[in-house]
């Protein structure tokens, strides 16, 4: 159940697969699940071998000063997260024989031959089905994770209403993530919010222009970080 370790290639391969379609261990923003997984690393992952793990590890490192304030249960171990179950493929021909196996050997081999033929037929059918699906599968959409600063006019601006306006913008290919308020000075705070966009569907310039139409609350917006997924 869950992740095993991040020291072996097996454990890192499992995490690499998990992060292929995710920006964080759970949810749409950094949490204690990411903190627990991050702290389980002894060394930084290799970008060439595990690009998704490297991207995630580098991104979570930027939150290191905020680890204690991130949402979630900090008492949970990193092994409680990840796939529901993992399985390593074992070649039956190389699997060690047990005493029970020896006792159940059919010396005539007829049943085993029938089972092997059936297993081969099922395998061939599944391979053919997989090949057909793969041939018809479109290339995954290119996505980016973006950190956006949204600045109010002054310290009297209602930041909850401001964030409500921001999240009210809905587009195909746009997913809003975690947010926080960051002090600017003179009692003014800006909203810093993460979002994931499909590059071919969402124009950041258009999105910023749409946000700035809420001119009673929003003075300006700035892209402060952007990373390809």
């Amino acid at each position: 159940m869950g992740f095993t370790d991040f020291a072996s290639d097996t454990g890192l391969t499992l995490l690499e697969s998990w992060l292929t379609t995710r920006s964080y261990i759970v949810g749409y923003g950094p949490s204690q699940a990411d903190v627990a997984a991050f702290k389980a690393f002894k060394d930084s992952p290799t970008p060439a071998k595990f690009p998704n793990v490297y991207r995630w590890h580098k991104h979570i490192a930027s939150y290191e000063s905020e680890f204690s304030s991130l949402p979630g249960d900090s008492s949970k171990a990193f092994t409680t997260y990840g796939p529901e179950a993992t399985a390593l493929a074992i070649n039956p021909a190389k699997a060690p024989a047990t005493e029970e196996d020896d006792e159940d050997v059919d010396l005539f081999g007829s049943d085993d031959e029938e089972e092997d033929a059936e297993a081969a037929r099922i395998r061939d059918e599944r391979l053919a089905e997989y090949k057909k699906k793969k041939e018809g599968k479109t290339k995954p959409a290119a996505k980016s994770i973006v950190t956006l600063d949204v600045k109010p006019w002054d310290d009297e601006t209602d930041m909850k209403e401001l964030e409500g306006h921001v999240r009210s913008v809905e587009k195909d290919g746009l997913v809003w993530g975690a947010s926080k308020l960051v002090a600017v000075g003179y009692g003014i705070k800006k909203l810093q919010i993460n979002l994931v966009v499909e590059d071919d569907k969402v124009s950041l310039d258009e999105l910023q222009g749409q946000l700035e139409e809420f001119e009673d609350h929003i003075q300006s917006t700035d892209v402060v970080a952007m990373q390809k997924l």
Side-chain angles (χ1 to χ4, degrees):
M1 299 290 286
F3 297 124
T4 53
D5 71 275
F6 299 144
S8 67
D9 280 1
T10 300
L12 286 170
T13 299
L14 182 61
L15 180 59
E16 175 72 14
S17 175
W18 183 257
L19 292 172
T20 299
T21 57
R22 298 171 176 83
S23 298
Y24 302 97
I25 300 299
V26 297
Y28 297 103
S31 67
Q32 292 300 324
D34 297 284
V35 174
F38 181 87
K39 289 182 176 179
F41 279 79
K42 293 183 179 178
D43 300 300
S44 296
T46 305
K49 197 170 186 180
F50 304 106
N52 290 308
V53 177
Y54 175 79
R55 180 261 309 162
W56 166 84
H57 189 272
K58 184 177 180 181
H59 180 58
I60 297 303
S62 68
Y63 288 92
E64 198 160 4
S65 63
E66 304 172 41
F67 276 1
S68 61
S69 63
L70 294 179
D73 186 352
S74 60
S75 65
K76 285 188 176 181
F78 76 97
T79 53
T80 60
Y81 303 103
E84 288 299 318
T86 60
L88 294 177
I90 298 177
N91 185 342
K94 296 181 180 179
T98 63
E99 292 184 5
E100 286 186 8
D101 292 336
D102 293 340
E103 292 174 1
D104 293 338
V105 170
D106 181 357
L107 298 178
F108 297 97
S110 58
D111 289 342
D112 285 345
E113 289 174 3
E114 291 177 4
E115 289 178 3
D116 289 345
E118 179 67 10
R121 182 186 67 79
I122 293 173
R123 183 189 67 244
D124 291 342
E125 287 180 357
R126 289 179 177 175
L127 286 173
E129 184 179 353
Y130 171 76
K131 184 177 180 181
K132 185 177 180 181
K133 286 182 178 179
K134 188 174 181 180
E135 288 174 351
K137 190 174 181 181
T138 57
K139 185 178 179 181
K143 296 182 179 180
S144 299
I145 181 169
V146 180
T147 300
L148 191 69
D149 273 358
V150 184
K151 299 173 184 177
W153 287 102
D154 51 40
D155 60 344
E156 295 182 359
T157 301
D158 188 322
M159 297 304 291
K160 287 186 178 180
E161 288 185 4
L162 182 148
E163 183 170 356
H165 287 314
V166 171
R167 292 185 183 275
S168 71
V169 176
E170 296 181 353
K171 291 177 178 289
D172 184 25
L174 167 65
V175 178
W176 294 107
S179 65
K180 63 181 180 180
L181 296 179
V182 179
V184 177
Y186 303 102
I188 301 174
K189 292 183 179 180
K190 64 182 177 181
L191 174 70
Q192 191 169 90
I193 187 167
N194 293 328
L195 55 145
V196 176
V197 297
E198 289 188 28
D199 298 340
D200 292 337
K201 293 182 178 180
V202 180
S203 164
L204 289 177
D205 288 339
E206 290 181 7
L207 176 61
Q208 288 179 261
Q210 191 170 350
L211 291 174
E212 289 168 8
E213 289 178 4
F214 297 108
E215 55 188 19
D216 290 341
H217 290 78
I218 298 174
Q219 180 197 64
S220 63
T221 62
D222 292 302
V223 174
V224 295
M226 182 175 179
Q227 188 173 11
K228 297 291 184 182
L229 294 180

